[in-house]
Each structure stands twice: as structure tokens, then as C-alpha cells.
């Protein structure tokens, strides 16, 4: 099939107005694309931005690699070269502009670009942006833009072969790609997870993954606006703003104006002169009584609209809008009696960080729509998070991601894109990384959400803590010394210098976890990735005692729920977790499966079948991470952050995520929502006492009533204790200590549930249930849960009642287009619970599909 189409570039708006005429215009080249395998002849329609894989799927050349074991059949794709091409005409108005360039926002990865058969670019880094002046090559009609994508395998294999040693990359699944042990991912400046991870498939993409813009202007344009907040207080914000203007000529009569785009109030109007070329103009001004930007939970994430204009005489040459949150946000590492603090200080307030680690939302990045980003961030906000860590094996995210974080008060821990590997940091590779870091720091530095830049994920631990250094030294001390020197140069010299130069005042960490070079982790300093529970098989209860100043990772695995498994593995006979299909969607392998089983056998009753196993696994994961989240919050202010691993998945898989690939909340996400509320009431048994901690992230003191009840399975109260408490702002305190033996009143531990309720003077209710025996020992009777359903806007309201205590009530529907306002919750007899269900199902179908079960139903 041959496929050609041409596009005509038009510019929205009117061109007859004199002042508008001069303003730069920008048009996206996203039409008329076709693609082909370089060595074959047939062209097919292509979507740009997109990837080769998704274009092959759309043209039915390959099948969805996320379905069953299809991933295996598409490993040939990354060994081929691919050509993308489009044709376009240009409107006269654009054609006559004095300056025209192409701006490639993201090319994945080794791409030679030709305009009208002239090579204009050789790109080699998916994280960089490439701008090419094309004025002299453009015609008004019949332009051809061709991009030749070299196979990343073919480009990088010779680099691997040329070396007498290997750069280690533990998550690179080279065998799955048919490359034997040749882990070539370290040579490509391309998302690490494309080569496989312990939660991800190996799908090494190519393609135009971000938009290509054709930009045209006359005389001058704003290239960049940088807003540096030098001093911020309630009274005043001292702003230093740099405006980079690209000018065709020297010009004397120029004014730079900065205004509040909402109130039109002027911040600064400053006369300047322009020289031909790139001008970096500095403006200093003060905003009095600024409305500050706060993180989720502490206040409004207020954003100013900074409107920056460049005028020549009375003519506006260019205008840029930037959403700016006025805040001071610093990572404070200061010696204290225990070691060294590690907390983020926002507008002078130490903020306990509650959140998760974020990975890319798909292996095929361009198909992540803005609506999906909306949901990703909304789900973080709805779970009361205030921080996400953009992890180093993925990507520097799209602008839209950070705009959402800005708007919603989600602070971002931003890794540079290096993870669990050592890299050939020298020569052209080093220069390439330098440019990548500059591009991304410049792109993201105005976002108020950026809380810290971090050199990498776990590369410091790998080298100094996991025995990598020793194993290299054993092979060849010179090579070990060379890699270590490259490592230090990268994370201790080059990257921090770029942060200091391009985002002055921002915090930088060389690695996560980290407290000191040459060292492994220290509970009294720096951040920790705590994997004692899970990877090292430590008991879940160790979450309660393990100390750290900031937990930037910890996690526990689960499979997705049955309704999700159905979507990638519809044949029920393939549901056993040892089946080939399930194993291909479990990248931790048999070891990960054995850990799920080991922990389950220890603490939960045996599930009666595979569906029950999947349910129990979700509860188990939720319970484990709830234990950790609460422990970390109780330990404040010693500990000032908890980010579980991980917020999302990039395909349907067994993983540590709290939301599956389809966006469905697992038990863990529901439990996080409670554990991350502004107040936490957290009971824990310590030395024969039941201690009830109340943790507050509020900035004001709270008066409340704390009730502790011990109940039978049938709901009768064994004993009850109520008292008033003063909850001091931003603290954790053991508010009440009761002897467990007294609470039991002669009952067995497995016959009762502890229910704690904190009611605040402002009429909020915080609840938590606690068990004095393991879930395996608990004597849950079979619960009869009755439901009544009423139609409400957007779905139904369910009222659920149980005749006895029901642990972990699980509601499910098929498909993905539904949401349960609450799920995996406990139900007490005599206390009906209402749950709103968002769904488009007609009532009859809803009633017949809806499944309701609790833990007692999962066992024989
Ligand atoms: C952490 C992460 C990832 C990994 C996860 C689970 O260390 O940084 O590399 O996926 O553990 O093993």
C-alpha cells in the first residue's frame, strides 16, 4: 500500500492586524504522516506523535503487546530501522517570516532528520529538544520532512562489543530481547524502563514521541523566561526574572513588561536595549503581600499568571505566560542530636511528605492522554498525597504533568534519568547528558512543584552498597577506578553544577537513597529505600521499628484484581500465577511469587481459589503498606516523609503499584487515602500496651475526642474508653496508652476488633481498626452482607449492611469504566455503609454484575 498526504499549514487568528502580524507563530506538524520499515517498500499511515509499535498495532501488523504473551512476538521491532515522512505546504504569511525553524520536542532516539532531502539533524537523545533553523530550505509548497530512525540495538551493540568490560544494568532484560547478556541500555539516552524492569516489559520503542513544531517570527522572540524567587515571605517576594530574547537586530527602544495576567497589575516595566543574537535581560522586582503557593492539605496552591511582554516602541514583539507559584521550598539537611534532618520546608514550615513513586504511565508514551494525566494526579490528590517522586528509570515528564502538580500542590522529587546502572560518562556521552540536563532543568525550573533535583535512582547504593564496586575491583581495579571516577564526575560535579547554574537556590541530591558518598544507607541521615520487608523477607512488623529520616521507597507486591486480569488474560484456565501468561506479567519472576506466598502463608488464611488468592493478595499488600505509612507518620518529626513504591504501572502486571495499569485503585490506594489524611489516628501494640497515636499535619492545634472501643464479631462492645485530646500542630503524639490485658476483658485476641475514632471539634471523623491477632488467627464468621441500591447521578449509591463483622469488604464490577468511592473496607454489624459507585451500567446489569465479598468468603 502506498500512502501519501499533504498538509497545508494555517495559522489561527487574524493576520490583518498590524501588531498581531509580528508575533511569533507556531504550528504542529502532526498531519499526513506515513511510515515504513526502512528496508521494505510499503508505506502505512502513522500517528505523530507516536511510536513505531503503536503504528504497527494500528495497522494490524503486530498485536497488542500487553495482551497475554504478545510481547515476545514483537522483539524484532527494535532491531529494524524505520522511516517516517510527511509532506506540507506553508501559508504565505508564515513563509514570509524572517525566521522559521523546526522545534523537535522529543525524538526517540537515534534519528536523522531530512527536510527536502537535506539532512538537518542527527538526534541521539530522547530527552533533549532540538531546534533547527530551516528558513533557507523551506519552499512554500511540497516540503518533505523525513525522519530515519536507526534501530537503537544496531547503534548501541557495537559500543558494547568494543569494550573489554560491561557497564552493569541489573534491570535490562537483554535475554528477552534476544541479545543474550548484552545489556546495551546504558549507552542510549532513552528511558531505562523501555529495556525492561522488574515491573515492566521489554519494548524498546522508536518514534516522534513529542510534538514537532514549525515556528516562525519576525525580528524578535522570547526564547525563555526564568523566574528566580530570591526571598519569599508573607510580606514580600523578591523576584529576579531573566528574559531571553532572540533578536535579528540591535534595538534601543525596547521595553520588557511583566504583569499579573489576571489582575493586569504591573509587576515591572523596564526599558532595555537588544543586541543582535540572544539577549539575557535581567529584571528585579518585588511582589508585596504575595499569595503563597502551598502543598496539598496545607492551603491553596495559588498560581500567578506572569505575563511577560517584549515591546519595541508600542509594538508587542512577543508575549509569554508562565504560571508561577510564589513559595520558598528547600530540603533541610541540618545536623541534629540524632544525626541530620531531612525534611522539606515550605514557606518556613517543615512539611511531612506523603506520597508515592511515579513511573511512566505506559510503555508507549505518546498514547498517555492529558485525561490520563488528570486522573494520575487526581488520584494522588484524592489519596491526600503532597509529593510524587518522578523516578530515574523513566522520563522527565511532559509539561502537563508538572502543570497539574503545580495546580494541585503536589511537590515533585525529580530524579535525573539514571537508575540501577553505571554509565559510560565520558566524551560525547557526557556532553549529551550535559545538554539533556540543561534542557530539562531550563524547561522545569519555573514550576513551583519542583522540590528537589536528584542525580539518580539507586546508582550510589548499587556501586557502594550492592557489591558492584568490589566485583569490578576483583575483575580489574583500573576499570573499577575508571567507572567510579565517571560516577563521581556525573553526580557530584556535572549535574549539581548544572542545577546550581540553571536553577539557583534549588536543592540537589546526588542519588536516592543517599546520605554520604562512599557509604550505604544510614537511618539517622538522608533518605532510605527500605526493602527489608519484601526483597529481604523481613516480617511486616519491621515497618514499625525500622527508622529513617525519610522513606523514599518501600513496597509490597500484588497482582491486579480479577476484573483487570481478565482484560490481559481472559482465559480463566491461565490465571494460576505460575501459568506462562501470568509469569510473563510478573517481572519479579518466581521469586516475587514466592514472596507473596510466603507472607500470605504466614499471616493470612489459605485462599480457596485463584480469585480469592488475588483478593487476599490485594488486602495483604494494603495491610502491609498501611502498617508502613502509619509507622512513618508516627515517627515524625524524626521521620519527615513516606513515599511508597509505586503510584502506577506502565502495563498490566503484578507489581508494587497501588493503582493498576487501567487506573483501578487497589486496596493499598484506598488505605493510603486514610493513612495520608491531615490527621491520623494510629493504634499500635507496644510492650503489652495499646498506644493510640494521633498525628497531625495541620498547622493549627485541634481539639478532639478520642474513643477506643473493643468489639465482638457480633458488634457488642467489650469495653470502651473516651477522652478529650489536644492535638498540637504538626506533631505526632501517643495520646492514650491502655493495657491490652485490660481491654480484652478475658476475651481471646482473635475474637475482638479494636475500633478507634477521633472526632474533631470541626466535625471531622477519623477512624482506624486494629487487630490484636494476625489475620490468619482472626476468627471471622461468614458474613451475610445485604445491599440496597439507589440510582444517583453518575451511577448508584449502595447501602451495605452486615450481620457480623466483615473484614475487607470487596466490591467489583467488570470492565474499567467504574469507580467505587470506597472499597476493601471493614463493616460492623449495625453500622451500614454507603458507597457511591460511578458507572454507566444500566441498573439491571449493575445489579447482576456487582460482586460483594469479604475475607471470610475467600477461605474454605
Ligand atoms: C526500587 C526501584 C526500582 C524497582 C523497585 C522494586 O528500588 O528503584 O528500581 O522497580 O525497587 O524492586
Amino acid at each position: 500500500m502506498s500512502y501519501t498526504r499533504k498538509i497545508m499549514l494555517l495559522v489561527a487568528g487574524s493576520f490583518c492586524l498590524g501588531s498581531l502580524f509580528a508575533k511569533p507563530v507556531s504550528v504542529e506538524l502532526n498531519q499526513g504522516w506515513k511510515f515504513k520499515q526502512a528496508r521494505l517498500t510499503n508505506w502505512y499511515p502513522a500517528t505523530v506523535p507516536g511510536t513505531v509499535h503503536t503504528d504497527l498495532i494500528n495497522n494490524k501488523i503486530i498485536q497488542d503487546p500487553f495482551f497475554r504473551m504478545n510481547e515476545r512476538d514483537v522483539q524484532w521491532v527494535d532491531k529494524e530501522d524505520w522511516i517516517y515522512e510527511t509532506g506540507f505546504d506553508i501559508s504565505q504569511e508564515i513563509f514570509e517570516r524572517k525566521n522559521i525553524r523546526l522545534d523537535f520536542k522529543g525524538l526517540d532516539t537515534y534519528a536523522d532528520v531530512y527536510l527536502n532531502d537535506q539532512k538537518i539533524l542527527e538526534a541521539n537523545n530522547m530527552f533533549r529538544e532540538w531546534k533547527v533553523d530551516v528558513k533557507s530550505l523551506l519552499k512554500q509548497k511540497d516540503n518533505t520532512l523525513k525522519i530515519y530512525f536507526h534501530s537503537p540495538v544496531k547503534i548501541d551493540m557495537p559500543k558494547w562489543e568494543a569494550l573489554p568490560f560491561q557497564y552493569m544494568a541489573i534491570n535490562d532484560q537483554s535475554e528477552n530481547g534476544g541479545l543474550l547478556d548484552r545489556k546495551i541500555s546504558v549507552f542510549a539516552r532513552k528511558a531505562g524502563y523501555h529495556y525492561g524492569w522488574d515491573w515492566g516489559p521489554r519494548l524498546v520503542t522508536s518514534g516522534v514521541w513529542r510534538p514537532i513544531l514549525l515556528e516562525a517570527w519576525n525580528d524578535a522572540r522570547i526564547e525563555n523566561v526564568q523566574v528566580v524567587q530570591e526571598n519569599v515571605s508573607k510580606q514580600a517576594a523578591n523576584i529576579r526574572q531573566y528574559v531571553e530574547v532572540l533578536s535579528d537586530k540591535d534595538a534601543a527602544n525596547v521595553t520588557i513588561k511583566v504583569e499579573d495576567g489576571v489582575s493586569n497589575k504591573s509587576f515591572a516595566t523596564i526599558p532595555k536595549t537588544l543586541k543582535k543574537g540572544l539577549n539575557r535581560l535581567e529584571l528585579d522586582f518585588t511582589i508585596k503581600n504575595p499569595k503563597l503557593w502551598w502543598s496539598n492539605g496545607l492551603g491553596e496552591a495559588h498560581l500567578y499568571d506572569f505575563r511577560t511582554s517584549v515591546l519595541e516602541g508600542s509594538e508587542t514583539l512577543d508575549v509569554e505566560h508562565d504560571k508561577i507559584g510564589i513559595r520558598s521550598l528547600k530540603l533541610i539537611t541540618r545536623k541534629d542530636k540524632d544525626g541530620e534532618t531531612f525534611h522539606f520546608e515550605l514557606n518556613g514550615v517543615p512539611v511531612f511528605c506523603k506520597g508515592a513513586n511515579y513511573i511512566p504511565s505506559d510503555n508507549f508514551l505518546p498514547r498517555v492522554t492529558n485525561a490520563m494525566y488528570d486522573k494520575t494526579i487526581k488520584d494522588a490528590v484524592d489519596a491526600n498525597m503532597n509529593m510524587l517522586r518522578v523516578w530515574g528509570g523513566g522520563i522527565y515528564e511532559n509539561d502537563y504533568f508538572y502543570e497539574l502538580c503545580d495546580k494541585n500542590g503536589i511537590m515533585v522529587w525529580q530524579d535525573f534519568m539514571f537508575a540501577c546502572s553505571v554509565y559510560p560518562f565520558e566524551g560525547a556521552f557526557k556532553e549529551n547528558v550535559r545538554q539533556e540536563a540543561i534542557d530539562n532543568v531550563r524547561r522545569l525550573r519555573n514550576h513551583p512543584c519542583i522540590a528537589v533535583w536528584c542525580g539518580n535512582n539507586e546508582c550510589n547504593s548499587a556501586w557502594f552498597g550492592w557489591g558492584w564496586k568490589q566485583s569490578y575491583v576483583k575483575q580489574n581495579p583500573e576499570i573499577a577506578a575508571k567507572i567510579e571516577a565517571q560516577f563521581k564526575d556525573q553526580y557530584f560535579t556535572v549535574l549539581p553544577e548544572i542545577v546550581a547554574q540553571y536553577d539557583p537556590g534549588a536543592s540537589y541530591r546526588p542519588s536516592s537513597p543517599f546520605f554520604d558518598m562512599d557509604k550505604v544507607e544510614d537511618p539517622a541521615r538522608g533518605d532510605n529505600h527500605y526493602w527489608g520487608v519484601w526483597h529481604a523477607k523481613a516480617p511486616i512488623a519491621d515497618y514499625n521499628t525500622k527508622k529513617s529520616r525519610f522513606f523514599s521507597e518501600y513496597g509490597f507486591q500484588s497482582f491486579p484484581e480479577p476484573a483487570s486480569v481478565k482484560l490481559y488474560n481472559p482465559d480463566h484456565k491461565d490465571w494460576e500465577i505460575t501459568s506462562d501468561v501470568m509469569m510473563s506479567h510478573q517481572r519479579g519472576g518466581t521469586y516475587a511469587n514466592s514472596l507473596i506466598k510466603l507472607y500470605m502463608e504466614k499471616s493470612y488464611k489459605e485462599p480457596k481459589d485463584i480469585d480469592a488468592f488475588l483478593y487476599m493478595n490485594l488486602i495483604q499488600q494494603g495491610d502491609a503498606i498501611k502498617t508502613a505509612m502509619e509507622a512513618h507518620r508516627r515517627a515524625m518529626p524524626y521521620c519527615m516523609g513516606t513515599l511508597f513504591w509505586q503510584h502506577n504501572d506502565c502495563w498490566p502486571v503484578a507489581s508494587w503499584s497501588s493503582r493498576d495499569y487501567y487506573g483501578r485503585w487497589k486496596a493499598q490506594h484506598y488505605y493510603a487515602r486514610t493513612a495520608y489524611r491531615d490527621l491520623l489516628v494510629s493504634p499500635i501494640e507496644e510492650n503489652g500496651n495499646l498506644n493510640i497515636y494521633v498525628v497531625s499535619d495541620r498547622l493549627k492545634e485541634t481539639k478532639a475526642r478520642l474513643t477506643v472501643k473493643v468489639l465482638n464479631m457480633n458488634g457488642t462492645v467489650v469495653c470502651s474508653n473516651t477522652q478529650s485530646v489536644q492535638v498540637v500542630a504538626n506533631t505526632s503524639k501517643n495520646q492514650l496508652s491502655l493495657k491490652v490485658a485490660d481491654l480484652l476483658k478475658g476475651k481471646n485476641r482473635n475474637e475482638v476488633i479494636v475500633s478507634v475514632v477521633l472526632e474533631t471539634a470541626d466535625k471531622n471523623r477519623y477512624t482506624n481498626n486494629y487487630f490484636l491477632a494476625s489475620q490468619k488467627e482472626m476468627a471471622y464468621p461468614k458474613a451475610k452482607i445485604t445491599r440496597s441500591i439507589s440510582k444517583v447521578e453518575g451511577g448508584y449509591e449502595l447501602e451495605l449492611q452486615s450481620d457480623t463483622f466483615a473484614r475487607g469488604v470487596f466490591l467489583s464490577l467488570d470492565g474499567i469504566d467504574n469507580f467505587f468511592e470506597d472499597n476493601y473496607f471493614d463493616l460492623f454489624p449495625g453500622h451500614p455503609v454507603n458507597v457511591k459507585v460511578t458507572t454507566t451500567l444500566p441498573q439491571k446489569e449493575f445489579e447482576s454484575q456487582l460482586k460483594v465479598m469479604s475475607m471470610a468468603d475467600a477461605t474454605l
Side-chain angles (χ1 to χ4, degrees), residues 494-604:
V494 174
L495 291 177
E497 275 175 11
I498 288 170
V499 172
Q501 186 181 347
Y502 292 91
D503 192 8
S507 302
Y508 174 82
R509 299 291 291 173
S511 186
S512 177
F514 183 79
F515 83 96
D516 202 354
M517 205 205 301
D518 301 7
K519 308 267 182 352
V520 287
E521 299 177 47
D522 183 336
R525 288 176 289 175
D527 65 319
N528 286 75
H529 292 188
Y530 176 59
W531 286 102
V533 175
W534 186 258
H535 285 304
K537 300 186 190 169
I540 303 287
D542 281 15
Y543 280 134
N544 289 321
T545 49
K546 173 74 191 174
K547 292 188 118 192
S548 168
R549 309 313 294 258
F550 195 106
F551 288 94
S552 41
E553 274 187 25
Y554 57 94
F556 196 97
Q557 264 206 7
S558 74
F559 282 84
E561 72 167 80
S564 289
V565 172
K566 247 183 219 172
L567 299 173
Y568 66 90
N569 182 13
D571 198 343
H572 201 262
K573 75 174 186 328
D574 287 327
W575 278 32
E576 285 308 324
I577 61 168
T578 49
S579 78
D580 288 345
V581 182
M582 290 301 255
M583 287 307 293
S584 131
H585 293 257
Q586 165 52 291
R587 306 317 274 247
T590 45
Y591 185 68
N593 278 351
S594 76
L595 291 179
I596 294 175
K597 285 195 156 167
L598 179 91
Y599 281 103
M600 200 184 286
E601 275 158 23
K602 210 158 177 205
S603 306
Y604 294 81

Side-chain angles (χ1 to χ4, degrees), residues 170-171 197-199 357 359 389 391-393 415 419-420 457-458 466 512-513 529 531 534-535 553-555 557 645-646 656:
I170 43 163
N171 289 290
W197 214 266
D198 57 2
W199 34 257
N357 286 268
I359 64 168
R389 170 170 173 246
W391 164 83
D415 283 0
C420 304
N457 173 73
E458 295 185 344
W466 300 351
S512 177
H529 292 188
W531 286 102
W534 186 258
H535 285 304
E553 274 187 25
Y554 57 94
Q557 264 206 7
W645 182 267
Q646 66 209 72
W656 302 263

